[in-house]
Amino acid sequence: MCEKKYDVICMGMIAQDILVTNVPKLAFSGEADTVLADSLTISAGGDAANEAVILSRLGSRTALLTRLDSGNVGTMLLEEMKAEGVDTSLLIRPNDCRTMTSMVFIHPDGEHHFVVGPGKNFDLESGDFDPELLKQTRAISAASLFGFGHLDTDGMEQIFRAAQEAGVLTIADTVFDLHGIGPHGVDRVYPYVDYLLPSIGEAVYITGEKEPEAIAEYFLKAGVKHVVLKLGAGGSFFMDRREAFYTEAFPIDPVDTTGCGDNFAAAFIHSLLKGKTHRECMLFASAAGAVNALGVGAHNGVRSEEQLLEFMKKQ
């Protein structure tokens, strides 16, 4: 049996992030019309791009499948992906595509608010995924479930079903319901999801439940094989039909929590593909989320697998 070309193909969103630090939460509700920030950084962002970068840095052979602006913004993001070792051969660059821009206002406590600029024709379509890719990868990560547009409700189910039939691991993260498809918009996808990794806020929206155990049970009944809930400062929770446990968050003083969930997901996937236990995967993923929060940006903290292992030893 020949070795596959990719460990992971990341599908989903890429964006241009403009990160502004040390912005008071009440900055735009007072009388002052000007705020002095500490720094302004422009870089790639978006769930799939963040995952792909971190997976590549950790040592996984990773490709990014997304639609990318054909203009200057897209070219800048393309070069950043190439510099990170991400395979960009699957990128689709229509002439009328306009990549989204996210203004990220980072507050002194490390929390943040987003202002998202409109994009155009940036959603993947079912025809953008070549079924032959399933012969080339060990896993597919749909990093932006609820953010795929028409693909969420017409296409992702078929891609994931074909992936499972081909023995390819299927992993999905969720985002804010960008297109208003409703909490049940991707119900048909769940039976073909091996690992689902939503944040607690997104999971509450989807399930209507508030407790991690009840949320996980909802997804398991819907057909998901394994559920990983990202609880922010509350750590994380894993549940399948064989085990259920919490993993505490590493104690840190966060600088910026942008992208921590994407770093968590990438590290979990990387560890999973190395054959680690679920507990080991959760701990490694938690370390990635914590390290990312120590710097500014959605993927600027985690540099390597060795760095995370050293961080875990010190903790």
Side-chain angles (χ1 to χ4, degrees):
M1 181 179 178
C2 62
E3 183 180 16
K4 295 191 175 183
K5 182 176 181 179
Y6 305 118
D7 291 312
V8 190
I9 294 176
C10 292
M11 301 174 58
M13 295 172 59
I14 189 170
Q16 176 183 237
D17 279 356
I18 302 176
L19 302 118
V20 188
T21 61
N22 198 30
V23 179
K25 291 185 177 180
L26 300 178
F28 305 111
S29 62
E31 296 181 359
D33 62 0
T34 302
V35 174
L36 181 63
D38 281 354
S39 66
L40 187 150
T41 305
I42 300 177
S43 72
D47 307 86
N50 294 333
E51 271 193 24
V53 168
I54 298 305
L55 278 161
S56 180
R57 288 182 185 167
L58 293 175
S60 291
R61 299 162 302 157
T62 308
L64 177 61
L65 175 56
T66 187
R67 289 194 170 200
L68 183 62
D69 194 311
S70 60
N72 292 336
V73 170
T75 298
M76 179 192 74
L77 301 180
L78 172 64
E79 293 305 315
E80 183 175 340
M81 293 298 104
K82 287 181 177 179
E84 293 291 354
V86 175
D87 187 310
T88 59
S89 64
L90 306 183
L91 294 180
I92 300 164
R93 303 188 70 185
N95 290 332
D96 62 343
C97 175
R98 294 294 176 268
T99 296
M100 294 176 65
T101 296
S102 296
M103 292 287 294
V104 187
F105 297 100
I106 302 164
H107 306 307
D109 63 357
E111 295 299 317
H112 54 262
H113 281 92
F114 289 96
V115 177
V116 180
K120 180 183 178 183
N121 194 23
F122 59 85
D123 291 328
L124 285 171
E125 298 179 358
S126 57
D128 294 335
F129 185 87
D130 183 355
E132 289 296 308
L133 291 174
L134 297 175
K135 299 177 182 179
Q136 302 179 42
T137 188
R138 300 173 62 198
I140 291 179
S141 174
S144 307
L145 210 59
F146 281 90
F148 280 107
H150 292 301
L151 194 62
D152 274 322
T153 55
D154 185 19
M156 190 58 68
E157 172 193 356
Q158 290 82 2
I159 292 171
F160 267 28
R161 180 171 61 225
Q164 286 193 339
E165 290 172 353
V168 173
L169 198 65
T170 58
I171 302 137
D173 199 349
T174 59
V175 298
F176 173 75
D177 186 1
L178 287 175
H179 300 282
I181 62 176
H184 299 293
V186 299
D187 281 1
R188 293 189 303 175
V189 181
Y190 296 138
Y192 308 104
V193 176
D194 290 315
Y195 289 85
L196 183 68
L197 297 87
S199 69
I200 183 65
E202 294 152 1
V204 169
Y205 166 75
I206 295 167
T207 67
E209 302 287 351
K210 295 183 178 180
E211 297 301 320
E213 291 86 350
I215 291 171
E217 184 61 34
Y218 175 99
F219 286 125
L220 292 175
K221 287 182 178 179
V224 176
K225 308 300 185 296
H226 313 274
V227 180
V228 177
L229 291 178
K230 296 172 290 189
L231 307 177
S236 52
F237 177 70
F238 178 92
M239 185 170 170
D240 60 15
R241 290 307 183 192
R242 299 182 62 182
E243 57 182 339
F245 59 88
Y246 284 89
T247 301
E248 292 184 3
F250 286 93
I252 60 166
D253 293 321
V255 174
D256 175 21
T257 58
T258 306
C260 287
D262 301 331
N263 281 252
F264 181 104
F268 183 91
I269 296 168
H270 175 75
S271 194
L272 187 68
L273 291 177
K274 292 190 69 175
K276 301 297 183 181
T277 68
H278 289 140
R279 290 182 183 272
E280 290 171 326
C281 292
M282 294 288 280
L283 190 61
F284 189 70
S286 295
V291 169
N292 182 71
L294 296 174
V296 175
H299 55 248
N300 293 328
V302 174
R303 308 308 306 179
S304 68
E305 180 176 339
E306 292 73 24
Q307 174 204 20
L308 293 186
L309 294 175
E310 185 63 25
F311 172 82
M312 293 165 66
K313 287 180 181 179
K314 291 181 178 179
Q315 294 291 321

